[in-house]
Amino acid sequence: MSKTINLTLKVWRQKGTGDKGHMEIYEAREISTDMSFLEMLDGVNNKLTLEGKDPIAFDHDCREGICGMCGAVINGIAHGPQKETTLCQLHMRHFKDGDTVVIEPWRAKAFKVIKDLVVDRSAFDKIIQAGGYVSVNTGGAPDGNTIPVPQKTAELAMDAAACIGCGACVAACPNASAMLFVGAKISHLALLPQGRPEAAQRALSMLRKMDELGFGNCSNETECEQVCPKAISITNIARFNQEFLKAGLLSPET
């Protein structure tokens, strides 16, 4: 049964990349527990706009947990307290009347704050451009289906392909490592025969770009796996390391 709750929000406000930023306090009144977290922010922004104040900037797009656009750290947890849930699918029934909710942007050297809760995640696009593609002509869907792939391998590839690139893994990692994201992209291509021809080049190129962009190293904290809204396993990091090791030993590029 739907009910309403009142919350105190402590929100990170930052005018731009060069601004120091600070926390501001807002009261969110009569919030329906059926609302999503973003709909709650919409209501707060409506009130701020009517008062002639600057609304809180945050990223969003599909609001169906698919696109990976939304994201913020809620009470210290990327995407909030509900496991395997994006911020847009986090509902207010997971909060209690009178709660204080602290809302911050992803914090990482490679993710510059653009404004308030909006960060620049184009670093992920640059990593994909460095090697997250297949260069061979795979033909149409019928052609792809003629290549036999063991069911277990296909399932592992599909699990890795579920990564939506939201950046929660980076935000949760104390080293701001992008290894879970890169590991997922490496895995879903390396596991399938269409992705094998340039597997070594892909592993080397994506790791070099990740380091160049300022992401940290993986130290097996596993925080990334805990906050991932798509339950991407850290076994993909192990597969990335295997591909990198093979590339280091066998590739003429090293």
Side-chain angles (χ1 to χ4, degrees):
M1 182 177 176
S2 177
K3 64 176 185 179
T4 59
I5 56 176
N6 297 317
L7 302 171
T8 298
L9 308 181
K10 293 184 177 179
V11 186
W12 182 259
R13 303 303 307 266
Q14 186 170 336
K15 293 181 180 178
T17 302
D19 184 46
K20 187 176 180 180
H22 62 281
M23 301 296 290
E24 288 190 6
I25 298 176
Y26 303 97
E27 299 298 327
R29 298 294 177 190
E30 298 184 352
I31 301 299
S32 169
T33 52
D34 288 337
M35 281 183 174
S36 72
F37 199 88
L38 297 189
E39 288 171 335
M40 182 276 292
L41 287 179
D42 287 338
V44 172
N45 276 345
N46 285 340
K47 185 172 183 295
L48 290 174
T49 302
L50 290 173
E51 294 172 349
K53 298 177 181 175
D54 192 23
I56 302 162
F58 60 91
D59 263 331
H60 64 94
D61 193 2
C62 74
R63 298 199 177 200
E64 295 181 349
I66 298 172
C67 71
M69 276 298 291
C70 66
V73 177
I74 311 301
N75 290 340
I77 304 172
H79 285 304
Q82 191 69 9
K83 284 185 71 65
E84 299 179 19
T85 305
T86 54
L87 190 65
C88 61
Q89 293 295 298
L90 176 65
H91 286 81
M92 301 312 296
R93 57 179 171 270
H94 300 295
F95 298 88
K96 297 177 182 177
D97 186 37
D99 274 355
T100 296
V101 182
V102 179
I103 311 171
E104 300 171 89
W106 294 161
R107 297 189 185 278
K109 180 181 179 182
F111 289 166
K112 303 295 185 186
V113 174
I114 297 173
K115 185 177 181 182
D116 299 337
L117 307 178
V118 179
V119 299
D120 179 3
R121 287 174 287 179
S122 62
F124 273 8
D125 298 330
K126 294 173 182 173
I127 292 174
I128 292 297
Q129 290 166 0
Y133 54 85
V134 172
S135 61
V136 298
N137 184 1
T138 59
D143 301 315
N145 289 333
T146 61
I147 301 173
V149 178
Q151 180 67 26
K152 183 178 180 180
T153 302
E155 292 290 344
L156 289 173
M158 288 300 293
D159 289 346
C163 172
I164 55 176
C166 64
C169 51
V170 174
C173 178
N175 305 324
S177 171
M179 285 291 281
L180 190 66
F181 166 75
V182 179
K185 301 305 176 186
I186 290 279
S187 288
H188 98 252
L189 294 176
L191 283 165
L192 299 176
Q194 296 93 333
R196 290 307 308 172
E198 64 280 314
Q201 177 190 349
R202 181 182 303 114
L204 293 170
S205 297
M206 294 179 79
L207 180 64
R208 286 171 182 154
K209 182 58 69 174
M210 183 175 68
D211 289 343
E212 175 189 320
L213 293 169
F215 292 102
N217 293 320
C218 175
S219 53
N220 295 317
E221 304 291 338
T222 73
E223 294 291 334
C224 54
E225 185 181 67
Q226 294 299 313
V227 302
C228 177
K230 297 302 176 184
I232 303 296
S233 168
I234 58 171
T235 57
N236 290 294
I237 297 178
R239 188 171 295 107
F240 177 16
N241 288 331
Q242 291 171 1
E243 291 295 332
F244 178 72
L245 182 60
K246 285 191 288 186
L249 292 174
L250 303 175
S251 173
E253 294 184 27
T254 56

